[in-house]
Every structure is written in structure tokens, then in C-alpha cells.
Amino acid sequence: MKNRIVLITGGASGIGKAMVRMFADRGCQVIIFDVQDDKGEVLAKELCDQRKKVVYKHVNLFDIDEIKSAYIWIKEQFGKLDYAMNNAGFGIPAKPLDECTSEEVNKVIGICLIAVTNCMIEEIKIMKENGFGRIVNTASGAGLLGVKGNSIYCAAKHGVVGITKAAALDYATSNITINAIAPGTIETELVNSLKEIAPEAYKQAEESNPAGHLGKPEDIANAALFLCEDTSSFINGVILPVDSGCVAGK
Ligand SMILES: NC(=O)c1ccc[n+]([C@@H]2O[C@H](COP(=O)([O-])OP(=O)(O)OC[C@H]3O[C@@H](n4cnc5c(N)ncnc54)[C@H](O)[C@@H]3O)[C@@H](O)[C@H]2O)c1
């Protein structure tokens, strides 16, 4: 993987941050797109100080013009894009669908599905020129199952699953693979903060994984690395649950 160019959206925090560290450890040139500038810049500096190659770029993925110019920048700076992890995303607190606002609909579908789609379009254009590419989308168990109180998030993540499978077919003869990971409940900053403020919810989060504990961001990052390996070239259109068996048991 040395010198491969890898983009990680949402790389300033949580799962994306673990991906940044792992791909940088493998000698890749890592590009982070995020809006948390302080976190992104601190992470990039920390890794560059260790002689790793990481660059942070502020890109608001709700803005199509920012997305388009960010990929032009990648092309100008690096000439190609080998791997793309479309990972940025968030949900909203659980509630029944009729209590959700149109603003929440636009935000969750905007980041989890529309931004992923717009990024994939730009990524594929660059990858086709280079005749190689690996795209890994971060879906969710909520992209494979219905989750009570999470209709909008489920809709967006089911959409990620759909676009992953269909687009995988479009480029199967172009040396570009497109897969997704469906994480179980992972110990990121957000989930961790529940420990103090909502211990019951934290306990539920732990118990939602059959292993009885939260997954680590590195569990997801490892799966992303695997899907990008040269030896994974025949794995395409797959939605890989990394959830200690949660989806398997439903
Ligand atoms: N943590 C879990 O338990 C879990 C489970 C299943 C799926 N996921 C998915 O994993 C992905 C990563 O989640 P996480 O838990 O690491 O969350 P996180 O909040 O730690 O990281 C998400 C990152 O996305 C960035 N982001 C948000 N809006 C953005 C925008 N408009 N433009 C650019 N960047 C933006 C955030 O700044 C943040 O750095 C998400 O797609 C999430 O839906 C997480």
C-alpha cells in the first residue's frame, strides 16, 4: 500500500480517525476531508511529525461546489486517487418518524447518502482515468435492518447499501471495486460520552453487540484496509458487517 493515495471523509474523529492512522501506518498518502478543522489539523500534524504523510482539508460535504473543487484539488496535488473511504456521517437522537423535522431529513440524508453519492461520482471519474480504484463506504447495521426510532438514518444507510451494490456492477470491468462496511455499535467519542450522561443508553449500546461490548474504531479500520488490499480485487459489491454477529442474529 506504500504511496497509495487514500481519501478518508470524516477522518478527524471516531472511525475515520482510526482509518487515517492505519492507512498512514501502511505508508499511504492520506487526505482527510472534514469540517472539524482543529481536530483534523492536530491529527495531521501529529502523524506528519512521525514522518507519515497526512494532509487535512476543510470540505463541507453538504456543499456540492466544495466537493467538486476538493476533487479537482486532489487531482492537481496528487494526480490520482487510489482508495476512497466515504465515511463522514451522523444520525439524530432516536424518535418516531412523525416527530422528525424536514431539516433533520435533509441533514441526515444529505450527509449519509447524498454526500456519499456526490463523492463517489467524483472519485470514480478520477479512478477511471488511472484504471484502478477501491471505494469503501461506511454503511451501518441500520443499512441492513430496520431500527426503531431511526427511520431517516435507516433510509440513508439502506441507500448507501443500494448504491454500493449497484455501482459495484458498473465498474466491475474497470479495476474499481466498491464495497461497504456495516459497523455494529462502535466506541467513538459520541458513544463514549453516554457513559457519564446516559449510563442506561451506554449499557444498551454495549449489549447491542452480541460480544457484549462495544467495537473499536480500529475494528472498522482493519476491515477497510482488508477491502483495499491488492489481494481483495475479486471482492466487489459486498456489505461487510463488522458487528460481532449482530446482523447475523436478526
Ligand atoms: N459509531 C458507531 O457506532 C457507528 C455505527 C454504525 C455506523 N457508523 C457510521 O460510521 C461513520 C463514522 O461515524 P463515527 O461514529 O466515527 O462518528 P464521528 O462523529 O466520530 O465522525 C464523523 C466525522 O464526520 C464529520 N462530518 C460530519 N459532517 C460533515 C460534513 N458536512 N462535512 C465533512 N465532514 C463531516 C465529523 O466532523 C466527524 O469528524 C458514520 O457514517 C456513521 O454513520 C457509526
Side-chain angles (χ1 to χ4, degrees):
M1 286 189 171
K2 204 159 188 264
N3 297 327
R4 290 288 198 189
I5 312 292
V6 52
L7 166 66
I8 298 162
T9 74
S13 168
I15 291 170
K17 187 173 171 180
M19 290 176 175
V20 169
R21 290 188 186 284
M22 281 201 188
F23 280 98
D25 281 349
R26 292 287 187 102
C28 295
Q29 166 66 61
V30 179
I31 302 158
I32 305 169
F33 285 178
D34 207 302
V35 284
Q36 297 197 71
D37 298 344
D38 289 354
K39 283 188 174 183
E41 274 157 14
V42 166
L43 178 62
K45 182 171 183 316
E46 178 202 318
L47 294 171
C48 287
D49 286 349
Q50 298 166 19
R51 307 178 71 107
K52 290 169 190 159
K53 292 173 285 181
V54 179
V55 59
Y56 172 76
K57 187 167 176 62
H58 177 102
V59 181
N60 179 4
L61 297 168
F62 283 123
D63 185 331
I64 185 63
D65 293 331
E66 277 195 36
I67 289 180
K68 285 191 174 190
S69 56
Y71 285 94
I72 291 170
W73 173 85
I74 288 185
K75 190 94 198 295
E76 285 169 357
Q77 291 292 313
F78 304 104
K80 62 171 185 162
L81 178 64
D82 295 306
Y83 312 146
M85 310 299 114
N86 295 307
N87 165 77
F90 53 75
I92 52 169
K95 56 184 166 181
L97 181 57
D98 69 306
E99 291 175 22
C100 297
T101 64
S102 59
E103 195 192 357
E104 288 170 331
V105 173
N106 290 337
K107 274 178 97 170
V108 174
I109 295 185
I111 188 71
C112 289
L113 182 56
I114 297 176
V116 169
T117 305
N118 285 327
C119 288
M120 286 174 72
I121 290 170
E122 301 305 319
E123 288 154 7
I124 290 163
K125 284 183 196 162
I126 303 179
M127 289 172 175
K128 270 172 74 180
E129 280 177 23
N130 193 39
F132 175 84
R134 298 268 187 272
I135 295 178
V136 180
N137 296 325
T138 308
S140 168
L144 297 166
L145 301 166
V147 182
K148 190 171 183 289
N150 285 275
S151 299
I152 307 172
Y153 185 72
C154 276
K157 292 295 187 179
H158 273 70
V160 172
V161 166
I163 199 166
T164 299
K165 290 181 180 177
L169 301 176
D170 286 343
Y171 306 100
T173 56
S174 306
N175 203 18
I176 297 171
T177 65
I178 306 179
N179 295 292
I181 299 168
T185 311
I186 306 300
E187 189 172 7
T188 54
E189 284 91 331
L190 180 73
V191 178
N192 243 338
S193 68
L194 295 175
K195 217 184 269 186
E196 301 290 322
I197 55 172
E200 256 322 292
Y202 182 80
K203 195 161 165 268
Q204 263 179 18
E206 286 186 312
E207 286 168 3
S208 68
N209 295 320
H213 60 79
L214 296 170
K216 299 220 167 301
E218 291 74 19
D219 294 325
I220 309 305
N222 259 320
L225 273 185
F226 165 69
L227 291 170
C228 290
E229 296 278 6
D230 284 351
T231 45
S232 298
S233 65
F234 211 55
I235 303 176
N236 192 29
V238 159
I239 314 300
L240 178 63
V242 180
D243 62 0
S244 76
C246 178
V247 166
K250 301 250 160 113

